[in-house]
């Protein structure tokens, strides 16, 4: 670790299997799931634990360098402290090599299948807390949903098993370190999981809740299912842009950003000429794919003749929400010689933030004497909006 203190938690990620059932050319842990390998996803979850850990990745000999590259890429400040060791012929042998590489100072160990790439960090935390409380082996489990039948060698069903007594076992599995090391050393048989090794040596095992995302990616179907789960859970974001320009009209009152600006020339237009409010409306409508202010609030609509910017903004927010979007934020850039914006910038931001129910930031600039804004003929406002669906 970056400090000299060795963490008391050790985590082994087993990633040395070949993935026969998945059938990809590369070992399963190095197969990409929506752009990131199963190993990378599992390691990222481990690194998001609040408690620091010594981490060992067990990789196929052919892929040790790739595993080290992943650790370097996502390991940040602890990247040089993530070890990679070669796997063994069986999962149990791979686990034993990983455990052997952990510092002896570790008092608790977690063993996780890289193939359970979507197991949430909360399950890791739950297992670890229980190891410390109970001083026992801990497995995360899921209830068995299907009816379980017992059948004979000929395929005849010879009875049912009471499924309320059954549980499907996931990883990470956690153990008091010294007892688990001893269990691995004394193991004489192959077990399908770590709790099997621990129980064979007389260790007590307790169960905590697993998570539906903790399924083991084993077949092509599982991989596709994992991809679709990630896709459906990703927030759908949409950006939009809007621009508005109005010329000064000395005879009109100045309304900009929803505020009245006394002693300033006003802006010409069908409504109050509030270029900021109009640009924000266009950005919101553009992000939602709802057209623009002209097509939504036509000049013939009496509700909007001479209407304040706030009226357009409230009506736009309503449209965007009805279409199923939440506003994430809005940013505005004003280009104008007048009004001098900075003294009231926070006032404009607070007003618009209140109207939209989401953060609005406003910046202002002049255009260095260039163009119509530089000549003081009018105001330009540009806005971007981010929505989530
Ligand atoms: N594993 C390992 N060393 C082995 C075998 C398996 O480190 N000799 C790891 C796998 O990489 C995986 C986990 O143990 O993360 C669970 O194993 P499994 O899902 O069976 O993976 P594979 O053995 O790779 O797949 P298959 O059985 O389809 O070949
Ligand atoms: Mg296997």
């Amino acid at each position: 670790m970056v400090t000299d203190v060795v963490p008391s938690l050790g985590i082994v990620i087993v990633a040395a299997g070949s993935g026969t059932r998945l059938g990809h050319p590369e070992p399963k842990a190095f197969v990409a799931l929506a752009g990131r390998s199963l190993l990378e996803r599992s390691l990222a979850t481990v690194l998001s634990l609040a408690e620091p850990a010594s981490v060992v990745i067990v990789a196929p000999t052919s892929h040790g360098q790739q595993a080290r590259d992943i650790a370097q890429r996502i390991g940040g400040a602890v990247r040089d402290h993530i070890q990679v060791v070669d796997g063994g012929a069986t999962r149990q042998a791979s686990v034993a090599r990983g455990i052997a590489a952990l510092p002896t100072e570790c008092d608790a160990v977690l063993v996780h299948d890289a193939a359970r790439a979507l197991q949430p960090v909360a399950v890791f935390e739950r297992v670890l807390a229980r190891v410390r409380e109970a001083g026992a082996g801990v497995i995360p489990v899921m209830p068995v949903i299907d009816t379980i039948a017992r059948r004979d060698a000929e395929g005849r069903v010879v009875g049912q098993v009471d499924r309320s007594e059954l549980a499907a076992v996931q990883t990470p599995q956690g153990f008091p370190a010294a007892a688990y090391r001893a269990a691995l050393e004394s193991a004489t048989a192959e077990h399908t999981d770590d709790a099997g090794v621990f129980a064979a040596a007389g260790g007590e095992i307790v169960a905590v809740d697993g998570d539906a995302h903790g399924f083991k990616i084993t077949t092509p179907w599982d991989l596709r299912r994992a991809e679709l789960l990630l896709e459906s859970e990703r927030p759908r974001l949409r950006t939009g842009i809007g621009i508005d320009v109005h010329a000064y009209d000395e005879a009109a009152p100045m309304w900009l950003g929803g505020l009245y600006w006394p002693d300033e020339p006003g802006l010409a237009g069908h409504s109050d000429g509030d270029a900021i409010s109009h640009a924000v409306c266009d950005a919101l409508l553009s992000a939602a794919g709802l057209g623009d202010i002209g097509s939504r609030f036509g000049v013939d609509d009496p509700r909007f003749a001479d209407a304040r910017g706030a009226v357009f903004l409230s009506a736009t927010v309503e449209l965007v929400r009805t279409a199923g979007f939440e506003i994430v934020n809005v940013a505005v850039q004003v280009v104008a010689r007048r009004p001098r914006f900075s003294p009231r910038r926070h006032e404009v931001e607070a007003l618009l933030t209140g109207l939209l129910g989401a953060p609005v930031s406003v910046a202002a600039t002049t255009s260095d004497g260039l163009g119509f804004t530089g000549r003081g003929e009018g105001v330009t406002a540009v806005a971007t909006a981010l929505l989530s669906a």
Side-chain angles (χ1 to χ4, degrees), residues 13-22 28-29 58-59 87-92 94-95 112-116 216-218:
I13 303 176
V14 280
S18 58
T20 327
R21 288 166 288 179
L22 189 61
K28 184 163 74 180
V58 187
T90 62
R91 183 182 181 285
Q92 191 167 315
S94 292
V95 172
H112 184 56
D113 291 335
R116 297 180 192 273
K216 187 157 66 84
I217 296 170
T218 305

Side-chain angles (χ1 to χ4, degrees), residues 29 269 348:
V348 173

